[in-house]
Amino acid sequence: MSEIIRVSGGGFEPYDVVIGRGLITQLGTRVAGLAQGRTVIVTDETVAALHGPAVLAGLEAAGVRARLLTVPPGEASKSFAGLEHVIDRLLAFGLDRRDLIVALGGGVVGDLAGLAAALYMRGIDFVQVPTTLLAQVDSSVGGKTAIDTPRGKNLVGAFHQPRLVVADIDLLATLPPRQLRSGWAEVLKHGLICDAAFFDWLAVEGAVGARGDPAALTRAVVRSVEIKSAIVGEDEKEAGRRALLNLGHTFGHAIEAELGFDEDRITHGEAVALGCALAFRFAAINGHCRADDAARVETVILAAGLPARLEAAGSFSAEALVTRMAGDKKAEGGGLTLILPRRIGEAFVDKAVDRATVTAFLKAEGAS
């Protein structure tokens, strides 16, 4: 049994997000109609060992000619060097515009393979097969593809929508607990920006999803994709409402960059969770939302095993973090742009946040 959510908008060809259990065995059948020529599966070495043989066998059984292209696991592959490696191998394989890329992995692989697909021959089709919770609920849907630079996260990229997304809940059983919790941060974020009832469920009955319960995970992925697909359909290029999906990310990306994108120190989802807690406390202090909402968000984040205080991530300079935030891709005219809450389930974009106010807030939070 699977759920199919249609993603459609005025600027791109509609596509399906298929969510369910045991879907990896059906991948060949689902991809066969899209693969006119050859197929290259871009994945990392860890995922290749876990799922590569089954995916290759399934594709070949459906008559799809496929081969693996692997990259090292981790955020370091989402770089100019990683992108050059992938494109060079695609050229060596002789792919043309009729061919297909399958991104099999988490957000790093999806972003990297998606950007390679956007650039190769000025754009070829690709399919997302996300293997992490974070990728299933967030990065695989919506067409954002990017690499990092030493100056910040996701600063070089393109909008390139996939032709299909296949989210197999069973693949999440292979995730380490920390990675599962990391994805749960993005699930919580969806409730925080526009669905208070969903957040209430995540805080109580649905909380078992953060510990791997398949039924709760299925419901969490379905609702998250419903929320994201509706926003993407309305605003593909992040000119308006789509920016709300970045709740927690401006603080979070700055923290990740200051830590050198070292996932042993903080994962992306952990940074987002911490960023959401910071955004709620900043909003409460500045009169945008109630203090009890901020306190409740912190409680739920901590209960999920995620960080909610700056000290949990390390020691930081407030000025350094604010400088990183000013370089965020959402920033305009040298000012700070933050996604802030009015309450749980409602957020807004503030494009005129005073830098000194944020600096003082971060110092009160424990930064130097």
Side-chain angles (χ1 to χ4, degrees), residues 133 180 184 187-188 197-221 296 300 303-304:
L133 179 58
L180 192 66
W184 197 251
V187 176
L188 292 172
F198 180 45
F199 183 81
D200 290 344
W201 177 78
L202 293 169
V204 188
E205 301 99 317
V208 292
R211 299 188 292 275
D213 180 79
L217 282 170
T218 300
R219 179 171 171 180
V221 173
R296 183 172 179 233
V300 172

Side-chain angles (χ1 to χ4, degrees), residues 4-44:
I4 298 178
I5 298 168
R6 190 75 161 166
V7 185
S8 61
F12 58 90
E13 185 176 348
Y15 58 93
D16 290 336
V17 181
V18 187
I19 303 164
R21 302 186 64 183
L23 298 182
I24 203 74
T25 61
Q26 307 166 17
L27 185 60
T29 303
R30 295 185 184 277
V31 167
L34 302 175
Q36 302 176 55
R38 293 156 297 179
T39 296
V40 172
I41 303 162
V42 179
T43 189
D44 70 37

Side-chain angles (χ1 to χ4, degrees), residues 7-358:
V7 185
S8 61
F12 58 90
E13 185 176 348
Y15 58 93
D16 290 336
V17 181
V18 187
I19 303 164
R21 302 186 64 183
L23 298 182
I24 203 74
T25 61
Q26 307 166 17
L27 185 60
T29 303
R30 295 185 184 277
V31 167
L34 302 175
Q36 302 176 55
R38 293 156 297 179
T39 296
V40 172
I41 303 162
V42 179
T43 189
D44 70 37
E45 294 155 0
T46 302
V47 176
L50 287 169
H51 306 300
V55 170
L56 276 173
L59 290 173
E60 290 169 2
V64 178
R65 291 180 293 156
R67 65 191 302 171
L68 287 177
L69 190 169
T70 61
V71 299
E75 192 78 21
S77 285
K78 219 175 87 169
S79 62
F80 279 109
L83 179 65
E84 181 182 19
H85 168 72
V86 171
I87 290 177
D88 179 69
R89 298 315 302 156
L90 297 178
L91 289 166
F93 295 159
L95 260 65
D96 61 38
R97 288 179 176 172
R98 300 175 306 136
D99 296 329
L100 182 72
I101 292 174
V102 173
L104 174 69
V108 168
V109 165
D111 277 3
L112 177 63
L115 183 55
L119 296 173
Y120 189 81
M121 302 286 180
R122 296 195 177 98
I124 64 173
D125 289 341
F126 84 114
V127 170
Q128 289 270 23
V129 184
T131 60
T132 66
L133 179 58
L134 193 150
Q136 288 188 2
V137 302
D138 186 57
S139 59
S140 67
V141 180
K144 277 188 176 181
T145 70
I147 57 171
D148 305 332
T149 82
R151 295 186 182 276
K153 192 176 178 72
N154 297 331
L155 294 180
V156 177
F159 290 94
H160 189 56
Q161 299 288 346
R163 292 294 308 280
L164 173 71
V165 180
V166 178
D168 188 341
I169 301 300
D170 286 344
L171 299 184
L172 304 181
T174 64
L175 288 180
R178 186 181 183 189
Q179 287 297 324
L180 192 66
R181 294 193 300 269
S182 183
W184 197 251
E186 294 281 4
V187 176
L188 292 172
K189 178 203 73 179
H190 286 123
L192 290 173
I193 62 172
C194 64
D195 192 338
F198 180 45
F199 183 81
D200 290 344
W201 177 78
L202 293 169
V204 188
E205 301 99 317
V208 292
R211 299 188 292 275
D213 180 79
L217 282 170
T218 300
R219 179 171 171 180
V221 173
V222 168
R223 182 60 189 137
S224 292
V225 172
E226 286 174 344
I227 290 169
K228 184 159 189 184
S229 64
I231 292 174
V232 167
E234 178 185 319
D235 177 24
E236 181 195 9
K237 300 291 179 70
E238 203 171 271
R241 189 164 178 247
R242 185 168 180 172
L244 298 179
L245 293 167
N246 290 305
L247 177 68
H249 285 64
T250 305
F251 284 114
H253 283 171
I255 291 165
E256 286 180 278
E258 279 298 289
L259 295 177
F261 302 112
D262 184 347
E263 291 188 300
D264 289 334
R265 299 180 72 180
I266 194 164
T267 67
H268 175 63
E270 289 167 348
V272 169
L274 176 52
C276 286
L278 289 168
F280 264 84
R281 287 198 294 273
F282 180 83
I285 288 169
N286 288 280
H288 299 302
C289 79
R290 299 184 338 188
D292 57 349
D293 275 354
R296 183 172 179 233
V297 168
E298 179 175 348
T299 297
V300 172
I301 286 172
L302 290 172
L306 293 160
R309 291 282 172 176
L310 203 55
E311 63 193 27
S315 299
F316 299 93
S317 157
E319 288 287 355
L321 286 174
V322 170
T323 298
R324 296 280 190 184
M325 293 167 71
D328 185 89
K329 60 186 180 297
K330 297 180 293 301
E332 297 179 2
L336 296 182
T337 296
L338 292 180
I339 315 305
L340 297 174
R342 298 193 194 282
R343 60 181 62 85
I344 292 172
E346 182 183 348
F348 70 101
V349 182
D350 190 341
K351 294 186 176 183
V353 181
D354 180 64
R355 181 171 178 146
T357 301
V358 178

